[in-house]
Amino acid sequence: MNTRKEQIIYWLIRMVMYSIVLVIGYILFDIVWNGVPALSWEFISEYPRKGGAEGGILPAIVGTLALLVGTIAVSLPLGICSAIYLSEYAEQTRFTTMIRLAIITLAGVPSIVYGLFGLGLFVLLLNFGTSILAGCLTLACMVLPTIIVSSEEALRAVPRGYRDASLALGATKWETIRTNVLPYSLSGIITGSILGIGRAAGETAPILLTVAAFYLPRLPNSIFDQVMALPYHLYILATQHPEADKVLPLQYATALVLLLLVLGLSLGAIFIRIHFRKKYRW
Amino acid sequence: MVETSLFPADTDHVITTRQVNFFYGETQALFDITMDIPGRRVTAFIGPSGCGKSTFLRIFNRMNDTITGTRMEGEVRINGEDIYHNSSNVVNLRRKVGMVFQKSNPFPKSIFDNVAYGPRIHGTHDRQQLAEIVEQSLIRSALWDEVKDRLETNALGLSGGQQQRLCIARALAVGPDILLMDEPASALDPKSTIRIEDLIGELRNDYTIVIVTHNMQQAARISDYTAFFYEGSLVEFNATKKIFTKPREKQTEDYITGRFG
C-alpha cells in the first residue's frame, strides 16, 4: 500500500517535471527552427531598412547590450552594498524586517509600474529625457530587489565561524567582510544577480516608456540618446508592423538573438560561479 | 570567594576581573565575577553546560561585543589595561589575546594563507617575513612536519585535529600573550585530543592559557588552576590539584564526582 503510494507520487512528480521540460523545449524548438533560416551575418550586422521589414537589427542588439551593461553597472554595486548592510551591519529590528518585506514586495511589482516610475522620475522630473541613462536606471530599479535578496542570502550562507575567527585575529568588521565573507559568497551573489539581470534584458514595458525607439536605424551617440532594443523591436514587428505576416521570419530571428544574448549572460554567470567555487571550496 | 593567598607571592596576574556582570538582553548570564588569572599558567574553566564559562572567556577578547543586545558591567584588566574603557582598542586587544574556537574554523583558503591571515591584516606583506612567521607558527602548533610540503593546498583538506592545530597556529601567528581556548578538543577523536593537550603543555611556558572544557579529566591533566562555574557564578577557584582532591565547596565536589552536570 505504502510503496504503491510512493510510486504514484514519484510518477506524478516526474510527469509534472517532464511536462514543463516539454513546454519549454517546444518554445525553444519553435524559435530555433523558424529563426535560424532568417539569421545571417547581414541580419546582425546591418541597419534595418523599410521600417524593419528588411535589413538587420544591429541598432537593437547594440541598444540591448548598452542597456545591459548600464543596468549591471548601476544595480550590482547598489544591490551588493545594500545586501551587505542588511546582512552584516543592520541590527535585526522590526524596522529592518519591514525593509526586507518591502524589498520582497518590490520584486513582485509588475514591470510596467517600474516603467511609469522611470518615466516620472528619470525622464521627466530629472529631465534625462527618453534616453539610455533613464532606461538603465529604470531597469536597475527593477532588478535591485532580486539582487538584494539573492545577495543577502548568499552572504548569510557564509558560516559564522569564519567571521568569528577573523574578528578574533584582530581584523576589523570591514576587513572581515572584505576578506572572509564577500569572496566566499561571490559565486552566489553573481549567479543570483545575473539571473535577475537576464530577465531585465527581455523586459519591454520599462524600456518602452524610458528609452526605446520605435525605429532608429543608427547607433546611439551618448547615454542621453535613444536606442532600439531587441524586446521592443520584437513587439513592434509582431504587433505594430503593417505587414506582420511578411516579417514573421524576422521576428523569430530577433527572438533567437535575444535568447542567445541571455544565454551568453547565463553562461558567463556559470563560469564565474565555477571559478569562485574552485577558488574557495567550503 | 577568591583566595588571594592562592598564588605564590611573585605571581603576575595577567587578567583581573572585578564584579563582572553580563547580560544577554534581559537575561543575566554572569553574576559578580571577581578573579585573578595568573600569567604563563594554564587556567581551566569547568562547569555544566550553560554555566557561563564560555561567555566569561569571550569577555577577555571582547568577542561578546559581536552579539547584539549584550551588556557588560564591571571591570576587566589585561596587563593592567582596562579593556572595556572607551579608549581601549579592540583590534590591539585581539592581537594580544588570541582565541581558538570549539568548532575548528580554518578559512577555505590555503594552509599558508590561513596562518598568514592575521599578520597580513596587521600590515606584514613581505613574502619572506610571512613565510618565516608561518613556519614558526606551524612548528609551535606541532603541525609543520605534516603540512610543510603542501602549504598551498586548501586547509579544509586537513583532518579535524589538524584543522584545530592550524587554528592554533593561526592564532599564534599574530603574536599574542594570551590564548583563549573554548573547548578546543570537544569535537575531536581521543588521539587528536591528546595531541592538542600535549600542545597546550608545550605552550604553557610562553603563553597565558585559559581553556574552557567540559571534560574534567582534561582540566585535571593540563591545567595549573581550575575555576568551577555554576549558573553564572564563580563557585570555586583554586589550584587544580586542590580542586580535584580537596574541593572547598560542596557544589564543586558534587560536580567533579559526577553527581550532577
Side-chain angles (χ1 to χ4, degrees), chain A residues 161 166-167 169 179-180 184, chain B residues 91 94 105 109 117 122 156:
Chain A
S166 174
L167 291 171
L169 287 167
T179 56
N180 272 310
Y184 312 150
Chain B
V91 169
R94 290 179 184 156
N105 50 6
K109 303 177 178 188
Y117 180 74
H122 295 303
L156 297 185

Side-chain angles (χ1 to χ4, degrees), chain B residues 124-194:
Chain B
T124 308
H125 291 287
D126 179 57
R127 182 81 197 176
Q128 192 65 38
Q129 221 174 327
L130 282 174
E132 211 155 284
I133 295 173
V134 169
E135 181 175 345
Q136 285 309 313
S137 305
L138 286 170
I139 289 173
R140 296 222 96 164
S141 68
L143 191 60
W144 176 250
D145 289 336
E146 291 157 64
V147 300
K148 64 182 175 204
D149 299 322
R150 47 172 176 148
L151 291 176
E152 295 306 324
T153 61
N154 195 306
L156 297 185
L158 297 173
S159 74
Q162 289 174 325
Q163 287 191 13
Q164 195 60 296
R165 275 180 282 145
L166 178 66
C167 291
I168 294 173
R170 186 176 61 185
L172 296 178
V174 293
D177 305 328
I178 300 170
L179 217 46
L180 308 176
M181 298 185 160
D182 191 356
E183 304 194 25
S186 68
L188 302 179
D189 60 86
K191 215 174 143 197
S192 304
T193 302
I194 298 288

Side-chain angles (χ1 to χ4, degrees), chain B residues 8 19 63 70 80 91 119 148 176 183 207 228:
Chain B
Q19 275 104 45
M63 274 308 275
T70 58
V91 169
K148 64 182 175 204
E183 304 194 25
Y207 298 90
F228 171 60

Side-chain angles (χ1 to χ4, degrees), chain A residues 91-92 160-172 175-176 179-180 184 278-282, chain B residues 58 61 63 66-68 91 94 97 99 101 105-109 117-118 121-122 154 156 170-171 174:
Chain A
E91 284 183 28
Q92 304 307 318
R160 201 193 148 80
Y162 296 152
R163 295 178 175 85
D164 280 349
S166 174
L167 291 171
L169 287 167
T172 61
E175 281 168 340
T176 299
T179 56
N180 272 310
Y184 312 150
K278 250 196 206 145
K279 198 162 165 197
Y280 304 107
R281 193 164 36 86
W282 55 275
Chain B
R58 290 163 64 96
N61 66 343
M63 274 308 275
T66 63
I67 305 167
T68 50
V91 169
R94 290 179 184 156
V97 186
M99 186 166 224
F101 296 84
N105 50 6
F107 302 129
K109 303 177 178 188
Y117 180 74
I121 56 172
H122 295 303
N154 195 306
L156 297 185
R170 186 176 61 185
V174 293

Side-chain angles (χ1 to χ4, degrees), chain A residues 155-236:
Chain A
L155 288 165
R156 277 177 194 280
V158 176
R160 201 193 148 80
Y162 296 152
R163 295 178 175 85
D164 280 349
S166 174
L167 291 171
L169 287 167
T172 61
K173 191 152 189 167
W174 171 240
E175 281 168 340
T176 299
I177 293 169
R178 190 170 52 81
T179 56
N180 272 310
V181 181
L182 259 185
Y184 312 150
S185 54
L186 219 49
S187 72
I189 290 176
I190 298 290
T191 314
S193 303
I194 296 288
L195 286 180
I197 290 165
R199 205 184 63 118
E203 278 291 348
T204 315
I207 57 171
L208 172 72
L209 301 169
T210 55
V211 50
F214 186 82
Y215 181 70
L216 190 69
R218 61 172 177 81
L219 295 183
N221 299 318
S222 76
I223 57 166
F224 292 104
D225 212 350
Q226 276 186 287
V227 278
M228 294 177 75
L230 288 170
Y232 186 54
H233 185 62
L234 190 57
Y235 166 74
I236 301 282

